Amino acid sequence: MPRKSQKKRTQAMEIGEEELDGLVTSGSGYGRRDRGRRGKRGTAASSSSSKGGGLSSGWKAVLCIVTAISAILASGVVEVRLIKNESGGVVATKTNASTPPDGVGSTAAPAESQPTVAAAATTTAPTGPPPPAAASTTTAPVELPTVAPETPQGGDANPSPTPASEPANANANANGVPVAQATPPSDGAFWTYKSRAQPIADDERKRLEDEYGIWSWTDEPVRHKDNALFWTYKSRAQPIADDERKRLEDEYGTWSWTDEPTRHKDNALLEFYRKYDNRDFPWAELPSTAWQKDATYMGRYIEESKKLTMRSMEAILSEYGHGKKDAPDDSFEIRSGMFNVTFLADEAFMAMPGVPPGAAQGGWMTSKSWAGLKRRLLHALITEDSFVFAMGGHSAAAGHGNHYFQSYTLQVAWILEPIFARLGVKHQARNIANGGMGTGQNAMASAYLFGPDVDMLMWDSGMTERGERDPDLMARQAIIGGIKVPLLYSFPLGVLKKLNHFGECDVGTSGSGMSGVADAKTKEDLDNIAWAARYMKCASDINNAFCKPKEYNSTCWIPREDYTPTKPQDKYVGGRASWHPGFRAHQIRGRSIAFVILRALYEALGEWGAASNFQLDEEKWHVTTYYKHIREKVLGIAEENSPCYQMKGVGLGKLCNLPMKSRSDWSPRAYPNDSAMHHVMPKEQLEYRDAPVDIAYQPPDVHNPYLHPIPGAVDVLNIVSNGPAFRPIARTTYESFYDIPPMSLDKPMHKPGKGYMWYHPSGFCDGSLDSFCKREATNSCLLTQHNDSRSGVIGGPVSGWLLFQIPKVEHGYIVIKVESWHFKNEMTKTAGWKSINNENDERQMEESTNYLRSNANGNDNSNSNDGVGGDGDNEYFRAPHVRVNTNNAITEPIVGNDESFRAPPVRANTNNTMTEPIAVYDHESGRMLKRQPEPFCDQFRFDVSINGNVRTYNKTEFDKIHAVTQRVVEVITLLDDPSVTGDVNVAVQVRGCKQFQYSHIYWS
């Protein structure tokens, strides 16, 4: 041993004698003779090692060694809560060992009992989605001005958290890579090591790391992705006084089951569910000890659940002036008319010439589809599965102009989340909308980008998506590509009719609920209308003066003590365009959808409660055969009856009958930690990935009064959340649906490109109330909450190969989405480069010289006849092999080995080149600019490599594999060869000119 190291280790053995004496004599149990077999072994060992020095001395030595080793090995390993953002970065915060975890297995305190000031500061970042905003004792606001939000009346509108003091223990001083395992639920399914090392200074920790090394696997994948964990709802309701809470309880009731027994004392029942497809267990096989077979439990469960569901519907009606107190003589059926659903027989629906009734109420649904909705709800209740509502749409649907959480999709979850949590179901709503876009980019693999677990899927993109082709594609991919088969909601009427008639799909359309909103003809009328409905229907002579200014209600920043924005914050959320509805319009649409689900839930609970011994006919809640039947029917629809097959016109007809997988860098998207595009890139490529943007501060946000009603208005969320603390419930996760990139593939066939630029929003962007997205310091409205981002990887002629490793290709079909209109000034990383990867490789010089020359004077110095470039001897850059005729037309590919692939079929030129001016995001200025795309030069080449076999496309040939499916949605077919299956190495690059941003890759 080197003398220096030996001296250090000797010192480690000598320190802390008095402290160790205290440990040995204080009853810690170390080295005591009365510890049975363990004590005897310890005695022998210590006697031997101390050479007769006695038990105490021997154990002192052992403890010294343990102390030294634990300081090295556990350096940085503490109980740390994680957010793995969608860019792959890890955001971690330290937490006191005595602080209970606020994720899995923890029980949230009622809102009124949570600490006021320290809540936001001490809440740790969870493993996965960030937690919802903690409660605050801020008094609820009066309605706030539209243009310049002010401090709400009745208290401080800007509560600021006080950072918790740093605890003086090992946890407080630990850093490094956290243990990425789930915090255990009460059944002990998972366990996280908490460091027992003594606190040390950062410089000492760094010294240990330099001398001994450290566990540096920062992106270690989670071993167990689809284990049924536990989750506890944390109330998002605004704080209210005890007397107000008591008033709500007296008027509406409350969840009174304070002694509700725990459903799961171990993991056995959760594992039992997992043995069956879609958790469709046979009732006879259900263990006799299961809660579903406990008659006493079930009787109380059904009773409390029905009361809560009815209470929730009554609260929504009261919010709009149709509660029991508003019309005491009217029945529930009369008062709920604004949300009534019109039920149609399938035959009547198909024969109906126009739009079905119910648009101003709760919409319409076929009777069979209503039964299908109840089946899905019963399945979630009985099997403790999730219930997910998702929407795809444009900027108005995204909620632009408002806080993201004010959008109607998230208002569905705002109300339903605590209701389902009481019933033992994890509910989530996902707002998967992108401003200025249709749904085409998500429709091509909607089961992956909206999520495989969606129960109700809504389309809302009428302003940006004309016709039925792309909505039909979105519906078909959700049906054939996911785990669940969703009820289709608010799709174009023609799409719903065809899929209902030929595919036997469940269909319906939401209503606006506006029939229940009172008209205001004078200013005085406004005061007599319920706050939620106020300012929505105004006569023209009062609209501009009194109603229009109340359309929006938002703010961009509420001060907090742990962070001050470095960029000046806007006064309110941007995007207040005339076609973007305000928060009241979003809220009533969200309430209408929630009310429909609640009504179906109430009926479903009644059917379960009426079953003998609560043994419901399996046909009413099993879904496996039901889903299979719908999938088979949809795949069997003739092409003439499916608008999707219009995709054949752009060479993409296979999207209509192949279940597509995808990874994307756009947000929002479901399961962003698993669905990111970089997760199907090899580590060699990721070595050159730009560091993800950090979030400016840790979640949660401080209490935001702009998200809640004013004092005196009906507060539905507080009504439905009222009651004892929420209990942990089973959480079914679907991350394992996203295949982990294969580890069996050899190293990539090409040298990874170093010249790509990576753009990703910060934080966690899954489109839900759990999202914490785009909170980078450069954001001028940090509280906007919006997830909408068109991110990706941008490369140009000298960027090199962009490498992918695509898992489980089944049908030899791979498509990539690009944006071909990006500009050279965006490529700051490659500024000044004169060769690929800036390596001055002689075998690359001809191509890079041609690129520089053509960009300088527009001359084409490449061989215009061969369509290829480079040198076939280059290990990483195999020369493309293309046979050409004298007219430069492609005939067939030539490949270098037997593992060949057929190029995508050549089709007629569809003139898909992007030539018109386009609004693009300029990363330098941070603004949308309308610019003329750079043209495709004659030297343009696009290289595609499949398992090392390269094909090059010149400008003319490229147009035959490149399609513009919607405005600014461009895709390239990379592979169309059913013989290529399994795990596939894919690489692409542009040469000659043009900058491409790659944002989605799809395969089947």
Side-chain angles (χ1 to χ4, degrees):
M1 179 186 298
R3 189 176 301 273
K4 182 177 180 181
S5 298
Q6 184 175 11
K7 180 178 180 180
K8 288 184 179 178
R9 297 188 185 191
T10 303
Q11 289 174 345
M13 294 288 290
E14 293 174 349
I15 62 170
E17 290 289 311
E18 294 180 2
E19 290 82 354
L20 292 172
D21 279 334
L23 279 174
V24 174
T25 60
S26 64
S28 65
Y30 288 110
R32 291 172 57 185
R33 296 179 183 270
D34 59 354
R35 298 294 285 181
R37 294 175 61 192
R38 179 178 176 181
K40 291 177 182 178
R41 288 198 301 270
T43 301
S46 61
S47 298
S48 173
S49 61
S50 60
K51 297 182 181 180
L55 177 64
S56 179
S57 297
W59 276 103
K60 287 180 183 178
V62 172
L63 288 176
C64 282
I65 294 171
V66 169
T67 301
I69 292 177
S70 64
I72 296 168
L73 296 184
S75 176
V77 183
V78 295
E79 190 213 358
V80 176
R81 313 306 306 284
L82 299 180
I83 297 173
K84 184 177 179 185
N85 65 31
E86 62 182 68
S87 302
V90 175
V91 180
T93 57
K94 297 172 282 188
T95 181
N96 193 317
S98 63
T99 304
D102 52 334
V104 174
S106 64
T107 303
E112 68 271 17
S113 66
Q114 294 181 357
T116 302
V117 181
T122 60
T123 301
T124 55
T127 308
S136 159
T137 56
T138 306
T139 305
V142 297
E143 185 170 23
L144 302 169
T146 299
V147 178
E150 300 173 356
T151 302
Q153 176 180 322
D156 180 10
N158 307 325
S160 302
T162 301
S165 58
E166 196 73 14
N169 55 33
N171 284 342
N173 290 273
N175 63 3
V177 183
V179 177
Q181 293 290 343
T183 305
S186 57
D187 61 15
F190 288 88
W191 173 82
T192 301
Y193 173 71
K194 294 185 178 181
S195 177
R196 306 180 194 278
Q198 62 180 335
I200 56 175
D202 289 342
D203 56 350
E204 173 62 9
R205 189 176 308 282
K206 183 64 168 62
R207 184 191 66 77
L208 293 176
E209 179 178 342
D210 293 342
E211 183 170 348
Y212 298 98
I214 191 172
W215 184 269
S216 58
W217 196 1
T218 57
D219 58 348
E220 179 182 4
V222 177
R223 291 183 177 182
H224 304 283
K225 289 193 171 186
D226 201 19
N227 190 63
L229 302 177
F230 290 84
W231 170 84
T232 302
Y233 173 73
K234 297 179 72 174
S235 178
R236 305 179 195 275
Q238 62 181 332
I240 56 176
D242 290 343
D243 57 349
E244 174 62 9
R245 191 173 302 282
K246 182 64 168 58
R247 185 191 68 79
L248 294 179
E249 180 178 338
D250 292 342
E251 183 173 346
Y252 295 96
T254 188
W255 184 269
S256 59
W257 200 0
T258 56
D259 59 345
E260 179 183 359
T262 302
R263 288 185 176 185
H264 302 282
K265 294 182 180 179
D266 55 37
N267 235 20
L269 189 56
L270 304 181
E271 292 301 319
F272 170 78
Y273 298 150
R274 289 160 56 84
K275 295 193 312 183
Y276 302 94
D277 290 342
N278 297 297
R279 306 161 77 89
D280 277 349
F281 59 82
W283 190 269
E285 300 296 324
L286 184 66
S288 59
T289 56
W291 61 270
Q292 297 95 327
K293 287 189 173 180
D294 184 334
T296 302
Y297 178 94
M298 282 300 304
R300 184 67 183 276
Y301 171 77
I302 295 293
E303 176 189 4
E304 288 287 341
S305 298
K306 290 183 68 177
K307 286 181 178 178
L308 172 60
T309 306
M310 179 56 70
R311 180 164 65 249
S312 303
M313 290 190 285
E314 286 286 4
I316 293 173
L317 293 175
S318 295
E319 186 179 31
Y320 289 94
H322 298 283
K324 292 179 180 179
K325 291 172 63 175
D326 303 301
D329 297 331
D330 290 342
S331 67
F332 174 82
E333 292 301 326
I334 293 175
R335 291 185 290 105
S336 63
M338 66 183 293
F339 297 126
N340 273 352
V341 178
T342 299
F343 296 109
L344 304 170
D346 288 347
E347 298 78 11
F349 170 51
M350 288 302 298
M352 189 168 292
V355 177
Q361 297 173 298
W364 62 268
M365 197 174 291
T366 68
S367 300
K368 176 180 171 294
S369 301
W370 184 252
L373 175 56
K374 290 191 291 184
R375 179 196 293 263
R376 291 170 174 85
L377 290 166
L378 284 166
H379 179 267
L381 295 171
I382 295 171
T383 69
E384 301 183 81
D385 201 352
S386 59
F387 186 83
V388 176
F389 175 87
M391 181 277 300
H394 47 39
S395 58
H400 288 193
N402 307 275
H403 288 292
Y404 194 51
F405 289 3
Q406 292 173 325
S407 66
Y408 70 78
T409 298
L410 298 189
Q411 282 297 300
V412 173
W414 191 259
I415 300 304
L416 293 185
E417 192 179 39
I419 299 168
F420 275 113
R422 291 286 191 202
L423 275 56
V425 172
K426 176 70 171 70
H427 167 69
Q428 190 177 66
R430 298 175 188 145
N431 182 341
I432 312 293
N434 296 105
M437 301 295 300
T439 60
Q441 68 284 346
N442 292 325
M444 286 188 275
S446 52
Y448 274 75
L449 301 176
F450 292 98
D453 51 352
V454 175
D455 296 279
M456 291 181 70
L457 180 63
M458 181 168 175
W459 176 88
D460 186 0
S461 198
M463 288 192 299
T464 55
E465 207 160 46
R466 305 301 183 187
E468 298 178 352
R469 184 194 68 179
D470 294 281
D472 189 46
L473 172 60
M474 173 177 159
R476 291 177 69 93
Q477 279 296 328
I479 291 167
I480 69 176
I483 294 174
K484 298 180 180 180
V485 170
L487 183 151
L488 304 175
Y489 213 44
S490 296
F491 281 71
L493 190 60
V495 172
L496 295 180
K497 283 190 172 185
K498 294 179 180 71
L499 288 172
N500 175 254
H501 181 69
F502 298 108
E504 299 187 19
C505 299
D506 294 328
V507 299
T509 292
S510 69
S512 67
M514 289 296 289
S515 65
V517 174
D519 291 292
K521 297 180 179 179
T522 66
K523 180 180 180 298
E524 289 69 30
D525 289 343
L526 294 172
D527 298 331
N528 298 319
I529 297 175
W531 181 80
R534 199 177 297 165
Y535 312 115
M536 294 194 73
K537 283 186 178 180
C538 300
S540 58
D541 53 343
I542 66 169
N543 185 57
N544 289 335
F546 299 105
C547 299
K548 195 68 177 174
K550 299 292 187 179
E551 188 173 5
Y552 303 96
N553 196 33
S554 64
T555 187
C556 283
W557 185 246
I558 297 173
R560 52 190 295 154
E561 289 191 3
D562 61 341
Y563 179 74
T564 299
T566 56
K567 182 167 185 169
Q569 294 293 287
D570 299 334
K571 290 183 178 180
Y572 52 82
V573 176
R576 295 181 175 183
S578 60
W579 57 90
H580 291 163
F583 78 101
R584 281 186 172 86
H586 276 280
Q587 179 175 295
I588 195 171
R589 173 75 69 171
R591 295 292 191 271
S592 178
I593 297 169
F595 201 95
V596 170
I597 295 171
L598 287 169
R599 188 139 195 175
L601 178 61
Y602 188 81
E603 289 187 15
L605 287 165
E607 292 178 13
W608 192 8
S612 177
N613 296 319
F614 305 101
Q615 183 176 344
L616 192 65
D617 184 355
E618 291 174 0
E619 173 57 27
K620 289 183 175 291
W621 61 275
H622 274 198
V623 296
T624 303
T625 302
Y626 192 70
Y627 290 165
K628 181 181 179 182
H629 174 75
I630 295 174
R631 285 193 179 105
E632 290 175 349
K633 294 289 289 185
V634 168
L635 286 171
I637 298 175
E639 290 187 15
E640 62 267 23
N641 295 319
S642 177
C644 178
Y645 283 98
Q646 296 169 18
M647 281 287 182
K648 282 190 168 183
V650 289
L652 298 171
K654 285 191 173 183
L655 294 174
C656 301
N657 57 19
L658 294 180
M660 300 296 293
K661 304 176 183 180
S662 180
R663 297 296 185 274
S664 169
D665 278 345
W666 278 28
S667 64
R669 61 179 188 274
Y671 299 102
N673 291 344
D674 301 277
S675 58
M677 193 169 68
H678 70 265
H679 284 181
V680 289
M681 292 181 177
K683 65 181 186 302
E684 290 86 353
Q685 183 68 68
L686 296 180
E687 289 178 7
Y688 301 102
R689 177 169 171 249
D690 297 326
V693 180
D694 290 330
I695 56 176
Y697 61 94
Q698 296 293 326
D701 286 317
V702 297
H703 171 68
N704 185 351
Y706 292 75
L707 301 178
H708 301 273
I710 64 173
V714 176
D715 188 341
V716 178
L717 184 56
N718 259 312
I719 293 169
V720 302
S721 301
N722 210 358
F726 284 83
R727 293 170 175 260
I729 64 173
R731 176 176 61 187
T732 305
T733 58
Y734 287 83
E735 289 95 335
S736 63
F737 184 73
Y738 299 85
D739 300 317
I740 297 174
M743 306 303 291
S744 60
L745 287 177
D746 295 333
K747 59 185 274 187
M749 302 289 188
H750 303 281
K751 192 172 186 178
K754 301 177 182 179
Y756 287 91
M757 300 184 66
W758 309 67
Y759 293 100
H760 304 285
S762 65
F764 184 82
C765 308
D766 73 339
S768 79
L769 290 174
D770 293 321
S771 63
F772 192 80
C773 185
K774 299 172 73 171
R775 306 304 179 94
E776 53 267 23
T778 55
N779 191 337
S780 64
C781 190
L782 285 163
L783 294 185
T784 178
Q785 303 165 330
H786 278 273
N787 287 200
D788 189 353
S789 177
R790 304 186 198 178
S791 303
V793 184
I794 304 179
V798 292
S799 296
W801 288 102
L802 185 64
L803 309 180
F804 298 90
Q805 290 185 327
I806 306 300
K808 300 182 181 179
V809 174
E810 298 178 18
H811 300 98
Y813 191 57
I814 303 175
V815 178
I816 194 167
K817 180 185 175 297
V818 302
E819 295 172 357
S820 66
W821 58 83
H822 288 268
F823 300 88
K824 283 187 292 185
N825 63 355
E826 297 180 59
M827 293 301 302
T828 56
K829 180 179 285 189
T830 59
W833 287 19
K834 297 183 178 180
S835 62
I836 293 175
N837 285 337
N838 199 31
E839 293 178 343
N840 296 316
D841 190 324
E842 290 183 1
R843 288 167 289 189
Q844 301 171 355
M845 284 303 292
E846 181 181 354
E847 290 300 319
S848 58
T849 301
N850 287 336
Y851 158 67
L852 295 170
R853 189 177 298 144
S854 65
N855 276 272
N857 55 35
N859 295 325
D860 183 359
N861 294 283
S862 64
N863 186 330
S864 61
N865 193 49
D866 63 6
V868 301
D871 190 324
D873 295 331
N874 189 327
E875 176 186 359
Y876 292 105
F877 189 85
R878 298 188 183 183
H881 303 286
V882 179
R883 178 180 292 132
V884 295
N885 60 23
T886 56
N887 295 321
N888 204 32
I890 303 175
T891 55
E892 60 177 299
I894 301 175
V895 294
N897 55 49
D898 292 335
E899 295 180 1
S900 62
F901 75 98
R902 291 198 300 274
V906 175
R907 62 179 182 275
N909 188 333
T910 54
N911 195 25
N912 280 317
T913 305
M914 299 291 293
T915 57
E916 62 182 32
I918 190 167
V920 296
Y921 182 76
D922 184 81
H923 293 281
E924 261 185 66
S925 65
R927 296 184 295 117
M928 297 298 294
L929 303 176
K930 198 164 188 178
R931 303 170 66 177
Q932 188 76 28
E934 294 176 358
F936 283 80
C937 63
D938 291 338
Q939 294 84 12
F940 171 80
R941 300 291 183 269
F942 185 72
D943 297 326
V944 179
S945 172
I946 303 295
N947 288 331
N949 299 290
V950 179
R951 172 156 189 181
T952 290
Y953 299 88
N954 63 25
K955 182 174 66 172
T956 302
E957 298 156 358
F958 175 77
D959 190 56
K960 298 173 183 178
I961 62 169
H962 167 252
V964 179
T965 66
Q966 287 186 342
R967 190 185 71 84
V968 304
V969 177
E970 301 176 74
V971 296
I972 303 169
T973 303
L974 303 180
L975 174 69
D976 189 354
D977 183 351
S979 69
V980 179
T981 60
D983 302 334
V984 179
N985 270 309
V986 177
V988 295
Q989 69 174 351
V990 296
R991 293 182 290 128
C993 61
K994 298 295 288 185
Q995 287 70 223
F996 281 8
Q997 174 170 294
Y998 306 91
S999 62
H1000 301 65
I1001 190 163
Y1002 314 88
W1003 71 94
S1004 182

